[in-house]
Amino acid sequence: MALGFELLARDAHTAARRTRITTAHGTIETPVFMPVGTFGAVRALDHDELEAQGVQIILGNTYHLYLRPGPATLEALGGYHKLIHWNKPILTDSGGFQIFSLPHQRTLSEKGVTFKSYVDQSYKTLTPETNIAFQELIGSDIMMVLDVCVPSTSPRDVAADAMTRTHRWAKRCRDAKKREDTSLFGIVQGAIFEDLRKESAEYLATLDFDGLAIGGLAVGETDEEREHFTNYTASLLPEGKPRYLMGVGTPHDLVRAIRAGVDMFDCIIPTNHARQGTAYSWNGKVKLRRSRYAADPLPLDPECACSTCRRYSRAYLYQLVKCEEPTGYKLISLHNIWFYEKLMERCRAEIVAGTYGEFARWFLSSVDD
Amino acid sequence: MALGFELLARDAHTAARRTRITTAHGTIETPVFMPVGTFGAVRALDHDELEAQGVQIILGNTYHLYLRPGPATLEALGGYHKLIHWNKPILTDSGGFQIFSLPHQRTLSEKGVTFKSYVDQSYKTLTPETNIAFQELIGSDIMMVLDVCVPSTSPRDVAADAMTRTHRWAKRCRDAKKREDTSLFGIVQGAIFEDLRKESAEYLATLDFDGLAIGGLAVGETDEEREHFTNYTASLLPEGKPRYLMGVGTPHDLVRAIRAGVDMFDCIIPTNHARQGTAYSWNGKVKLRRSRYAADPLPLDPECACSTCRRYSRAYLYQLVKCEEPTGYKLISLHNIWFYEKLMERCRAEIVAGTYGEFARWFLSSVDD
């Protein structure tokens, strides 16, 4: 079997669940956060550091990997794990999101999508079939179908067209899949229309994917809409498969989505915030560019056990971010990823204890997002 | 005593020497290479990583630290070691080199030098006395005198004037020094004039510094001139004190200068080369941007035991440098600093064995610089 899935525990009072996913490169305890390693590295960090933070799985971007290093190199080396020397699970998106973000440089047809390479300016075409073939060349443990991405604020007819084409492509992706040691997730679309989300979830459930993702959120809707459609869509997904909320989000977003029964997350926020000098903590965000930290000898978070907090002070991080020293971004990224990992660890423990609802209420009301 | 110095061994056939320097923050085995941590971090690396590479001492730039974080923060925190959480020795330059590199933004008088801050555009004045006071606030284990830096290609009268003012400032620096737990090095100037170099070395020897540096090289002269004046100046320095060649250089430069009896070096080359994708190895330089490495599964240097070579391949480093991922610069910087440290370790061993001359001949003729 491509993907093992066990439902280990349900929270007593919410839809939150504790699951275990098994892949060819090891197991993943969920709820899980997946740092984004676009080109083969999470920005400024190495894999030893990711492992030390407790990272279980990283995400790669198919769009970028298709352009660089491209299929020939991946084939020569025997896949992406061997290129980047990461031996734990890898999930790849399909690249749809990036390609649809290039409105003047791509053309869409039923067959697939053509776009201009930023590497050599040539035109490339990805169809559902060639997309899956490339993700199988990557050898990702969890592949995503090629979907049609539109802003969540699109009119109903645009959202409906995108959804039905996503469905046809999802089936073509499923039929194109050859490797037994990789798995494939479908993606529920439908923007912010309940009936479309329902239709999408029900149709995809018939295609026997290894898991299902909630796509098309965090792309223009309000926070309330995002929360509502996360909850609503999660409630439509089959119990017996992993549920992945794509591209979301802040710690609050994660805690809320876990309460709705979501298992997997990816987001660039922890590393992007680090580059702005913003760190997460259980006492709220710490904005290290503020002059109040210039001579502060305390660790970023005195209760944190990450490698940054064990050795360095806020004053040092202030000095590094003010001087734009990459070491500063690195040390804050390490801390932020540690924070996300510890948050997921805590969520897993609260679910098992049956106290997730209470924990989520406390977190959402007490910890600044 | 501020600085301990032991001459442990001399090479049998060259002027190379193996010494041990003792500071308030620990001992330094020489010949030693000091990575440059301008603002408090060696670019893209953290201190745990520096220690793992075997780094014994880092260099800080007084000019930059004077502007950021500035005296008030350093005073509030109790010095630079406490700001940056590095507990091994630190050497600071005087900032003279940086200030004299700002020809349109500084004015020079016998009293000192006034320059414009790039942080807040205000004018700042450093005299020999305030310079030493600031380096004592930094708390560096080894301070350098404020010297007058001119291009090594300057006319004789310019070089002579700069040298005599450097001498007057050196005496003022020495007289201004108050702390017992820090040490102070003089700097021999004189550009590429043998008589000036001789006069400078002889004068500074009378001032009882803890060590002497060779300044004013690697600033415009030819490679042959640099080698000649390194050799010549080193031969003029007292036997019983550390000798430091400032801002130099490549592995060949270091191996040659050690043969001439120099003990200490600093240079930005290993980290700057890393940012260009160039790595050092015992088989010559590896330029990782070259397409020949795109699918090369071998480590950067198959015989190297650094953390980069233990886990990653040339193909991965190629991918990272082509994608301009900071992780790539970091992994190559780690390797390059490891290479410099292992080179120094090897030089120390060859000196003790009395075979340094043979080693240097082999290295200079066989390993590409």
Side-chain angles (χ1 to χ4, degrees), chain A residues 39-40 43-49 51 83 85 311-313 316 319 325 327 330, chain B residues 39-40 43-49 51 68 83 85 311-313 316 319 325 327 330:
Chain A
F39 298 105
R43 190 65 45 88
L45 305 182
D46 67 41
H47 301 338
D48 290 345
E49 289 170 327
E51 288 166 3
L83 169 66
H85 307 275
R311 181 158 190 170
Y312 304 105
S313 62
Y316 183 53
Q319 164 77 359
E325 270 293 335
T327 303
K330 174 205 142 126
Chain B
F39 299 105
R43 191 64 48 89
L45 306 181
D46 67 41
H47 301 338
D48 291 344
E49 289 170 327
E51 288 166 3
R68 197 175 253 150
L83 168 67
H85 308 274
R311 181 158 190 171
Y312 304 106
S313 62
Y316 183 53
Q319 164 78 359
E325 271 292 336
T327 302
K330 173 205 142 125

mmCIF file of all heavy atoms in Angstrom, chain A residues 39-40 43-49 51 83 85 311-313 316 319 325 327 330, chain B residues 39-40 43-49 51 68 83 85 311-313 316 319 325 327 330:
data_model
loop_
_atom_site.group_PDB
_atom_site.id
_atom_site.type_symbol
_atom_site.label_atom_id
_atom_site.label_comp_id
_atom_site.label_asym_id
_atom_site.label_seq_id
_atom_site.Cartn_x
_atom_site.Cartn_y
_atom_site.Cartn_z
ATOM 1 N N PHE A 39 13.196 24.949 -3.073
ATOM 2 C CA PHE A 39 14.206 24.500 -4.034
ATOM 3 C C PHE A 39 15.020 23.323 -3.513
ATOM 4 O O PHE A 39 15.971 22.910 -4.150
ATOM 5 C CB PHE A 39 15.171 25.633 -4.354
ATOM 6 C CG PHE A 39 14.525 26.826 -4.984
ATOM 7 C CD1 PHE A 39 14.309 27.978 -4.259
ATOM 8 C CD2 PHE A 39 14.134 26.794 -6.314
ATOM 9 C CE1 PHE A 39 13.725 29.099 -4.845
ATOM 10 C CE2 PHE A 39 13.543 27.904 -6.905
ATOM 11 C CZ PHE A 39 13.336 29.056 -6.174
ATOM 12 N N GLY A 40 14.696 22.846 -2.318
ATOM 13 C CA GLY A 40 15.468 21.736 -1.769
ATOM 14 C C GLY A 40 16.024 22.035 -0.391
ATOM 15 O O GLY A 40 16.707 21.203 0.198
ATOM 16 N N ARG A 43 14.544 27.753 3.762
ATOM 17 C CA ARG A 43 15.413 28.932 3.642
ATOM 18 C C ARG A 43 16.392 29.126 4.810
ATOM 19 O O ARG A 43 15.980 29.258 5.955
ATOM 20 C CB ARG A 43 14.523 30.184 3.487
ATOM 21 C CG ARG A 43 15.208 31.488 3.111
ATOM 22 C CD ARG A 43 15.862 31.538 1.732
ATOM 23 N NE ARG A 43 15.127 31.012 0.615
ATOM 24 C CZ ARG A 43 14.262 31.711 -0.141
ATOM 25 N NH1 ARG A 43 14.003 32.963 0.125
ATOM 26 N NH2 ARG A 43 13.695 31.165 -1.174
ATOM 27 N N ALA A 44 17.688 29.075 4.485
ATOM 28 C CA ALA A 44 18.795 29.353 5.403
ATOM 29 C C ALA A 44 19.103 28.220 6.380
ATOM 30 O O ALA A 44 20.026 28.339 7.184
ATOM 31 C CB ALA A 44 18.606 30.664 6.166
ATOM 32 N N LEU A 45 18.351 27.113 6.311
ATOM 33 C CA LEU A 45 18.583 26.011 7.251
ATOM 34 C C LEU A 45 19.108 24.789 6.517
ATOM 35 O O LEU A 45 18.884 24.619 5.315
ATOM 36 C CB LEU A 45 17.270 25.648 7.952
ATOM 37 C CG LEU A 45 16.556 26.809 8.655
ATOM 38 C CD1 LEU A 45 15.294 26.317 9.343
ATOM 39 C CD2 LEU A 45 17.472 27.492 9.661
ATOM 40 N N ASP A 46 19.788 23.912 7.267
ATOM 41 C CA ASP A 46 20.173 22.644 6.670
ATOM 42 C C ASP A 46 19.351 21.518 7.297
ATOM 43 O O ASP A 46 18.611 21.735 8.251
ATOM 44 C CB ASP A 46 21.686 22.411 6.757
ATOM 45 C CG ASP A 46 22.172 22.220 8.179
ATOM 46 O OD1 ASP A 46 21.495 21.542 8.969
ATOM 47 O OD2 ASP A 46 23.252 22.744 8.511
ATOM 48 N N HIS A 47 19.472 20.326 6.715
ATOM 49 C CA HIS A 47 18.585 19.245 7.147
ATOM 50 C C HIS A 47 18.874 18.793 8.581
ATOM 51 O O HIS A 47 17.952 18.391 9.298
ATOM 52 C CB HIS A 47 18.701 18.045 6.210
ATOM 53 C CG HIS A 47 18.373 18.354 4.783
ATOM 54 N ND1 HIS A 47 17.605 19.431 4.390
ATOM 55 C CD2 HIS A 47 18.704 17.706 3.635
ATOM 56 C CE1 HIS A 47 17.493 19.420 3.068
ATOM 57 N NE2 HIS A 47 18.151 18.391 2.595
ATOM 58 N N ASP A 48 20.149 18.820 8.997
ATOM 59 C CA ASP A 48 20.455 18.471 10.386
ATOM 60 C C ASP A 48 19.650 19.368 11.331
ATOM 61 O O ASP A 48 19.128 18.919 12.357
ATOM 62 C CB ASP A 48 21.954 18.669 10.682
ATOM 63 C CG ASP A 48 22.831 17.646 9.964
ATOM 64 O OD1 ASP A 48 22.299 16.626 9.480
ATOM 65 O OD2 ASP A 48 24.054 17.870 9.886
ATOM 66 N N GLU A 49 19.586 20.634 10.979
ATOM 67 C CA GLU A 49 18.834 21.579 11.815
ATOM 68 C C GLU A 49 17.337 21.280 11.798
ATOM 69 O O GLU A 49 16.676 21.322 12.838
ATOM 70 C CB GLU A 49 19.103 23.014 11.345
ATOM 71 C CG GLU A 49 20.521 23.457 11.683
ATOM 72 C CD GLU A 49 20.934 24.769 11.035
ATOM 73 O OE1 GLU A 49 20.479 25.067 9.909
ATOM 74 O OE2 GLU A 49 21.737 25.490 11.650
ATOM 75 N N GLU A 51 15.929 18.413 11.324
ATOM 76 C CA GLU A 51 15.711 17.206 12.128
ATOM 77 C C GLU A 51 15.776 17.528 13.622
ATOM 78 O O GLU A 51 14.994 17.004 14.408
ATOM 79 C CB GLU A 51 16.732 16.124 11.741
ATOM 80 C CG GLU A 51 16.425 15.532 10.361
ATOM 81 C CD GLU A 51 17.565 14.719 9.761
ATOM 82 O OE1 GLU A 51 18.611 14.541 10.430
ATOM 83 O OE2 GLU A 51 17.415 14.270 8.608
ATOM 84 N N LEU A 83 18.741 13.760 -4.489
ATOM 85 C CA LEU A 83 19.332 15.066 -4.806
ATOM 86 C C LEU A 83 19.609 15.863 -3.543
ATOM 87 O O LEU A 83 20.681 16.440 -3.379
ATOM 88 C CB LEU A 83 18.397 15.879 -5.714
ATOM 89 C CG LEU A 83 18.791 17.363 -5.903
ATOM 90 C CD1 LEU A 83 20.115 17.499 -6.649
ATOM 91 C CD2 LEU A 83 17.696 18.142 -6.628
ATOM 92 N N HIS A 85 19.337 14.787 -0.218
ATOM 93 C CA HIS A 85 19.866 14.061 0.939
ATOM 94 C C HIS A 85 18.973 14.220 2.166
ATOM 95 O O HIS A 85 19.447 14.398 3.287
ATOM 96 C CB HIS A 85 21.303 14.484 1.246
ATOM 97 C CG HIS A 85 22.183 14.386 0.044
ATOM 98 N ND1 HIS A 85 22.812 13.230 -0.337
ATOM 99 C CD2 HIS A 85 22.484 15.289 -0.919
ATOM 100 C CE1 HIS A 85 23.476 13.435 -1.457
ATOM 101 N NE2 HIS A 85 23.299 14.673 -1.833
ATOM 102 N N ARG A 311 21.090 29.538 23.697
ATOM 103 C CA ARG A 311 22.392 30.227 23.681
ATOM 104 C C ARG A 311 22.307 31.747 23.569
ATOM 105 O O ARG A 311 23.201 32.435 24.087
ATOM 106 C CB ARG A 311 23.250 29.680 22.529
ATOM 107 C CG ARG A 311 24.635 30.320 22.462
ATOM 108 C CD ARG A 311 25.642 29.483 21.720
ATOM 109 N NE ARG A 311 26.991 30.013 21.893
ATOM 110 C CZ ARG A 311 28.098 29.403 21.517
ATOM 111 N NH1 ARG A 311 28.031 28.226 20.949
ATOM 112 N NH2 ARG A 311 29.277 29.965 21.712
ATOM 113 N N TYR A 312 21.299 32.273 22.868
ATOM 114 C CA TYR A 312 21.358 33.676 22.467
ATOM 115 C C TYR A 312 20.279 34.525 23.132
ATOM 116 O O TYR A 312 19.244 34.020 23.552
ATOM 117 C CB TYR A 312 21.256 33.780 20.946
ATOM 118 C CG TYR A 312 22.312 32.963 20.233
ATOM 119 C CD1 TYR A 312 21.990 31.757 19.612
ATOM 120 C CD2 TYR A 312 23.637 33.379 20.239
ATOM 121 C CE1 TYR A 312 22.960 30.998 18.978
ATOM 122 C CE2 TYR A 312 24.622 32.623 19.605
ATOM 123 C CZ TYR A 312 24.279 31.427 18.980
ATOM 124 O OH TYR A 312 25.238 30.676 18.368
ATOM 125 N N SER A 313 20.555 35.827 23.180
ATOM 126 C CA SER A 313 19.626 36.781 23.799
ATOM 127 C C SER A 313 18.873 37.578 22.739
ATOM 128 O O SER A 313 19.241 37.605 21.568
ATOM 129 C CB SER A 313 20.417 37.753 24.673
ATOM 130 O OG SER A 313 21.325 38.484 23.857
ATOM 131 N N TYR A 316 21.164 40.099 21.120
ATOM 132 C CA TYR A 316 21.974 39.595 20.007
ATOM 133 C C TYR A 316 21.133 39.485 18.740
ATOM 134 O O TYR A 316 21.559 39.898 17.659
ATOM 135 C CB TYR A 316 22.569 38.243 20.381
ATOM 136 C CG TYR A 316 23.486 37.653 19.330
ATOM 137 C CD1 TYR A 316 24.552 38.384 18.815
ATOM 138 C CD2 TYR A 316 23.289 36.356 18.864
ATOM 139 C CE1 TYR A 316 25.402 37.846 17.854
ATOM 140 C CE2 TYR A 316 24.135 35.804 17.910
ATOM 141 C CZ TYR A 316 25.185 36.547 17.415
ATOM 142 O OH TYR A 316 26.021 36.010 16.467
ATOM 143 N N GLN A 319 20.606 42.878 17.325
ATOM 144 C CA GLN A 319 21.823 43.319 16.617
ATOM 145 C C GLN A 319 21.891 42.679 15.224
ATOM 146 O O GLN A 319 22.161 43.344 14.227
ATOM 147 C CB GLN A 319 23.061 42.944 17.454
ATOM 148 C CG GLN A 319 24.408 42.977 16.735
ATOM 149 C CD GLN A 319 24.953 44.393 16.548
ATOM 150 O OE1 GLN A 319 24.320 45.367 16.930
ATOM 151 N NE2 GLN A 319 26.122 44.490 15.934
ATOM 152 N N GLU A 325 22.109 40.602 9.152
ATOM 153 C CA GLU A 325 22.983 39.431 9.103
ATOM 154 C C GLU A 325 22.134 38.179 8.902
ATOM 155 O O GLU A 325 21.216 37.919 9.697
ATOM 156 C CB GLU A 325 23.732 39.288 10.433
ATOM 157 C CG GLU A 325 25.055 40.011 10.486
ATOM 158 C CD GLU A 325 26.099 39.421 9.552
ATOM 159 O OE1 GLU A 325 26.026 38.230 9.209
ATOM 160 O OE2 GLU A 325 26.999 40.180 9.157
ATOM 161 N N THR A 327 22.599 35.273 9.681
ATOM 162 C CA THR A 327 22.581 34.426 10.880
ATOM 163 C C THR A 327 21.355 34.741 11.747
ATOM 164 O O THR A 327 20.799 33.848 12.384
ATOM 165 C CB THR A 327 23.876 34.624 11.695
ATOM 166 O OG1 THR A 327 24.987 34.333 10.853
ATOM 167 C CG2 THR A 327 23.906 33.731 12.926
ATOM 168 N N LYS A 330 18.327 33.053 10.295
ATOM 169 C CA LYS A 330 18.482 31.631 10.534
ATOM 170 C C LYS A 330 18.108 31.268 11.972
ATOM 171 O O LYS A 330 17.347 30.325 12.202
ATOM 172 C CB LYS A 330 19.944 31.266 10.261
ATOM 173 C CG LYS A 330 20.296 29.842 10.603
ATOM 174 C CD LYS A 330 21.774 29.756 10.900
ATOM 175 C CE LYS A 330 21.983 28.798 12.029
ATOM 176 N NZ LYS A 330 22.926 27.749 11.700
ATOM 177 N N PHE B 39 29.604 41.942 12.330
ATOM 178 C CA PHE B 39 28.569 42.520 13.196
ATOM 179 C C PHE B 39 28.262 41.641 14.402
ATOM 180 O O PHE B 39 27.332 41.917 15.145
ATOM 181 C CB PHE B 39 27.277 42.710 12.402
ATOM 182 C CG PHE B 39 27.409 43.646 11.240
ATOM 183 C CD1 PHE B 39 27.469 43.162 9.940
ATOM 184 C CD2 PHE B 39 27.489 45.011 11.445
ATOM 185 C CE1 PHE B 39 27.575 44.021 8.863
ATOM 186 C CE2 PHE B 39 27.601 45.883 10.370
ATOM 187 C CZ PHE B 39 27.644 45.393 9.076
ATOM 188 N N GLY B 40 28.978 40.520 14.538
ATOM 189 C CA GLY B 40 28.694 39.639 15.661
ATOM 190 C C GLY B 40 28.410 38.214 15.232
ATOM 191 O O GLY B 40 28.122 37.364 16.056
ATOM 192 N N ARG B 43 29.186 35.429 8.649
ATOM 193 C CA ARG B 43 28.031 35.459 7.743
ATOM 194 C C ARG B 43 27.340 34.094 7.557
ATOM 195 O O ARG B 43 27.953 33.128 7.126
ATOM 196 C CB ARG B 43 28.498 36.003 6.380
ATOM 197 C CG ARG B 43 27.428 36.365 5.361
ATOM 198 C CD ARG B 43 26.494 37.501 5.757
ATOM 199 N NE ARG B 43 27.094 38.709 6.273
ATOM 200 C CZ ARG B 43 27.502 39.755 5.553
ATOM 201 N NH1 ARG B 43 27.466 39.713 4.237
ATOM 202 N NH2 ARG B 43 27.970 40.829 6.140
ATOM 203 N N ALA B 44 26.074 34.052 7.971
ATOM 204 C CA ALA B 44 25.164 32.911 7.781
ATOM 205 C C ALA B 44 25.420 31.743 8.746
ATOM 206 O O ALA B 44 24.708 30.747 8.690
ATOM 207 C CB ALA B 44 25.166 32.402 6.336
ATOM 208 N N LEU B 45 26.413 31.875 9.624
ATOM 209 C CA LEU B 45 26.721 30.770 10.542
ATOM 210 C C LEU B 45 26.400 31.164 11.980
ATOM 211 O O LEU B 45 26.387 32.342 12.318
ATOM 212 C CB LEU B 45 28.205 30.407 10.434
ATOM 213 C CG LEU B 45 28.715 30.099 9.025
ATOM 214 C CD1 LEU B 45 30.191 29.730 9.070
ATOM 215 C CD2 LEU B 45 27.901 28.986 8.380
ATOM 216 N N ASP B 46 26.174 30.148 12.819
ATOM 217 C CA ASP B 46 26.039 30.449 14.242
ATOM 218 C C ASP B 46 27.261 29.932 14.989
ATOM 219 O O ASP B 46 28.116 29.260 14.421
ATOM 220 C CB ASP B 46 24.715 29.908 14.799
ATOM 221 C CG ASP B 46 24.648 28.397 14.808
ATOM 222 O OD1 ASP B 46 25.660 27.744 15.139
ATOM 223 O OD2 ASP B 46 23.582 27.844 14.495
ATOM 224 N N HIS B 47 27.348 30.287 16.264
ATOM 225 C CA HIS B 47 28.577 29.989 17.007
ATOM 226 C C HIS B 47 28.767 28.484 17.218
ATOM 227 O O HIS B 47 29.902 28.008 17.249
ATOM 228 C CB HIS B 47 28.572 30.696 18.360
ATOM 229 C CG HIS B 47 28.458 32.187 18.282
ATOM 230 N ND1 HIS B 47 28.792 32.922 17.168
ATOM 231 C CD2 HIS B 47 28.053 33.087 19.208
ATOM 232 C CE1 HIS B 47 28.589 34.209 17.414
ATOM 233 N NE2 HIS B 47 28.134 34.333 18.630
ATOM 234 N N ASP B 48 27.667 27.748 17.412
ATOM 235 C CA ASP B 48 27.797 26.290 17.543
ATOM 236 C C ASP B 48 28.517 25.735 16.317
ATOM 237 O O ASP B 48 29.369 24.848 16.419
ATOM 238 C CB ASP B 48 26.420 25.615 17.651
ATOM 239 C CG ASP B 48 25.709 25.926 18.971
ATOM 240 O OD1 ASP B 48 26.377 26.400 19.914
ATOM 241 O OD2 ASP B 48 24.491 25.694 19.060
ATOM 242 N N GLU B 49 28.155 26.254 15.165
ATOM 243 C CA GLU B 49 28.785 25.783 13.927
ATOM 244 C C GLU B 49 30.253 26.185 13.875
ATOM 245 O O GLU B 49 31.111 25.386 13.459
ATOM 246 C CB GLU B 49 28.021 26.343 12.718
ATOM 247 C CG GLU B 49 26.658 25.689 12.568
ATOM 248 C CD GLU B 49 25.764 26.353 11.538
ATOM 249 O OE1 GLU B 49 25.843 27.583 11.358
ATOM 250 O OE2 GLU B 49 24.955 25.633 10.923
ATOM 251 N N GLU B 51 32.249 26.640 16.385
ATOM 252 C CA GLU B 51 32.979 25.777 17.322
ATOM 253 C C GLU B 51 33.170 24.383 16.732
ATOM 254 O O GLU B 51 34.233 23.782 16.888
ATOM 255 C CB GLU B 51 32.230 25.728 18.660
ATOM 256 C CG GLU B 51 32.358 27.046 19.419
ATOM 257 C CD GLU B 51 31.384 27.204 20.583
ATOM 258 O OE1 GLU B 51 30.614 26.257 20.859
ATOM 259 O OE2 GLU B 51 31.393 28.280 21.203
ATOM 260 N N ARG B 68 26.988 50.323 15.433
ATOM 261 C CA ARG B 68 25.884 49.435 15.784
ATOM 262 C C ARG B 68 26.435 48.195 16.436
ATOM 263 O O ARG B 68 27.182 47.497 15.783
ATOM 264 C CB ARG B 68 25.106 49.080 14.504
ATOM 265 C CG ARG B 68 23.748 48.515 14.732
ATOM 266 C CD ARG B 68 23.004 48.319 13.423
ATOM 267 N NE ARG B 68 21.929 49.284 13.221
ATOM 268 C CZ ARG B 68 21.510 49.732 12.041
ATOM 269 N NH1 ARG B 68 22.109 49.335 10.937
ATOM 270 N NH2 ARG B 68 20.515 50.568 11.957
ATOM 271 N N LEU B 83 27.198 40.310 24.566
ATOM 272 C CA LEU B 83 26.216 40.628 23.520
ATOM 273 C C LEU B 83 26.041 39.442 22.571
ATOM 274 O O LEU B 83 24.918 39.066 22.226
ATOM 275 C CB LEU B 83 26.659 41.862 22.718
ATOM 276 C CG LEU B 83 25.855 42.113 21.425
ATOM 277 C CD1 LEU B 83 24.405 42.492 21.732
ATOM 278 C CD2 LEU B 83 26.502 43.193 20.561
ATOM 279 N N HIS B 85 27.374 36.223 22.885
ATOM 280 C CA HIS B 85 27.355 34.879 23.465
ATOM 281 C C HIS B 85 28.422 33.974 22.851
ATOM 282 O O HIS B 85 28.180 32.795 22.567
ATOM 283 C CB HIS B 85 25.954 34.249 23.337
ATOM 284 C CG HIS B 85 24.890 35.147 23.876
ATOM 285 N ND1 HIS B 85 24.542 35.177 25.194
ATOM 286 C CD2 HIS B 85 24.144 36.103 23.272
ATOM 287 C CE1 HIS B 85 23.612 36.103 25.379
ATOM 288 N NE2 HIS B 85 23.362 36.677 24.236
ATOM 289 N N ARG B 311 27.238 14.872 4.535
ATOM 290 C CA ARG B 311 25.827 14.627 4.180
ATOM 291 C C ARG B 311 25.453 14.955 2.737
ATOM 292 O O ARG B 311 24.573 14.304 2.174
ATOM 293 C CB ARG B 311 24.914 15.419 5.119
ATOM 294 C CG ARG B 311 23.430 15.188 4.830
ATOM 295 C CD ARG B 311 22.553 15.503 6.015
ATOM 296 N NE ARG B 311 21.191 15.049 5.784
ATOM 297 C CZ ARG B 311 20.229 15.023 6.690
ATOM 298 N NH1 ARG B 311 20.485 15.414 7.915
ATOM 299 N NH2 ARG B 311 19.023 14.595 6.391
ATOM 300 N N TYR B 312 26.093 15.964 2.141
ATOM 301 C CA TYR B 312 25.558 16.511 0.897
ATOM 302 C C TYR B 312 26.479 16.281 -0.299
ATOM 303 O O TYR B 312 27.681 16.100 -0.141
ATOM 304 C CB TYR B 312 25.273 18.004 1.073
ATOM 305 C CG TYR B 312 24.346 18.285 2.237
ATOM 306 C CD1 TYR B 312 24.837 18.823 3.427
ATOM 307 C CD2 TYR B 312 22.998 17.970 2.153
ATOM 308 C CE1 TYR B 312 23.998 19.063 4.504
ATOM 309 C CE2 TYR B 312 22.146 18.197 3.227
ATOM 310 C CZ TYR B 312 22.655 18.743 4.405
ATOM 311 O OH TYR B 312 21.821 18.961 5.463
ATOM 312 N N SER B 313 25.871 16.331 -1.479
ATOM 313 C CA SER B 313 26.617 16.105 -2.721
ATOM 314 C C SER B 313 26.860 17.427 -3.456
ATOM 315 O O SER B 313 26.239 18.451 -3.174
ATOM 316 C CB SER B 313 25.816 15.185 -3.629
ATOM 317 O OG SER B 313 24.581 15.801 -3.965
ATOM 318 N N TYR B 316 23.643 18.673 -4.992
ATOM 319 C CA TYR B 316 22.767 19.447 -4.108
ATOM 320 C C TYR B 316 23.291 20.870 -3.953
ATOM 321 O O TYR B 316 22.526 21.845 -4.037
ATOM 322 C CB TYR B 316 22.673 18.749 -2.749
ATOM 323 C CG TYR B 316 21.727 19.424 -1.770
ATOM 324 C CD1 TYR B 316 20.418 19.717 -2.121
ATOM 325 C CD2 TYR B 316 22.149 19.761 -0.487
ATOM 326 C CE1 TYR B 316 19.555 20.326 -1.220
ATOM 327 C CE2 TYR B 316 21.294 20.367 0.426
ATOM 328 C CZ TYR B 316 20.003 20.652 0.046
ATOM 329 O OH TYR B 316 19.140 21.254 0.945
ATOM 330 N N GLN B 319 22.495 22.803 -7.032
ATOM 331 C CA GLN B 319 21.082 23.199 -7.027
ATOM 332 C C GLN B 319 20.874 24.426 -6.130
ATOM 333 O O GLN B 319 20.217 25.388 -6.515
ATOM 334 C CB GLN B 319 20.231 22.018 -6.545
ATOM 335 C CG GLN B 319 18.800 22.337 -6.115
ATOM 336 C CD GLN B 319 17.841 22.531 -7.294
ATOM 337 O OE1 GLN B 319 18.243 22.440 -8.452
ATOM 338 N NE2 GLN B 319 16.590 22.816 -7.001
ATOM 339 N N GLU B 325 19.833 29.885 -2.912
ATOM 340 C CA GLU B 325 19.338 29.536 -1.584
ATOM 341 C C GLU B 325 20.439 29.806 -0.558
ATOM 342 O O GLU B 325 21.544 29.268 -0.680
ATOM 343 C CB GLU B 325 18.987 28.047 -1.526
ATOM 344 C CG GLU B 325 17.570 27.721 -1.921
ATOM 345 C CD GLU B 325 16.534 28.236 -0.931
ATOM 346 O OE1 GLU B 325 16.852 28.447 0.254
ATOM 347 O OE2 GLU B 325 15.400 28.439 -1.373
ATOM 348 N N THR B 327 20.985 28.553 2.166
ATOM 349 C CA THR B 327 21.517 27.309 2.731
ATOM 350 C C THR B 327 22.769 26.862 1.975
ATOM 351 O O THR B 327 23.682 26.282 2.563
ATOM 352 C CB THR B 327 20.439 26.200 2.687
ATOM 353 O OG1 THR B 327 19.290 26.651 3.402
ATOM 354 C CG2 THR B 327 20.952 24.902 3.303
ATOM 355 N N LYS B 330 25.718 28.858 3.180
ATOM 356 C CA LYS B 330 26.026 28.403 4.522
ATOM 357 C C LYS B 330 26.809 27.091 4.498
ATOM 358 O O LYS B 330 27.832 26.954 5.167
ATOM 359 C CB LYS B 330 24.707 28.225 5.273
ATOM 360 C CG LYS B 330 24.866 27.602 6.631
ATOM 361 C CD LYS B 330 23.576 26.911 7.011
ATOM 362 C CE LYS B 330 23.900 25.647 7.733
ATOM 363 N NZ LYS B 330 23.253 25.563 9.035
#
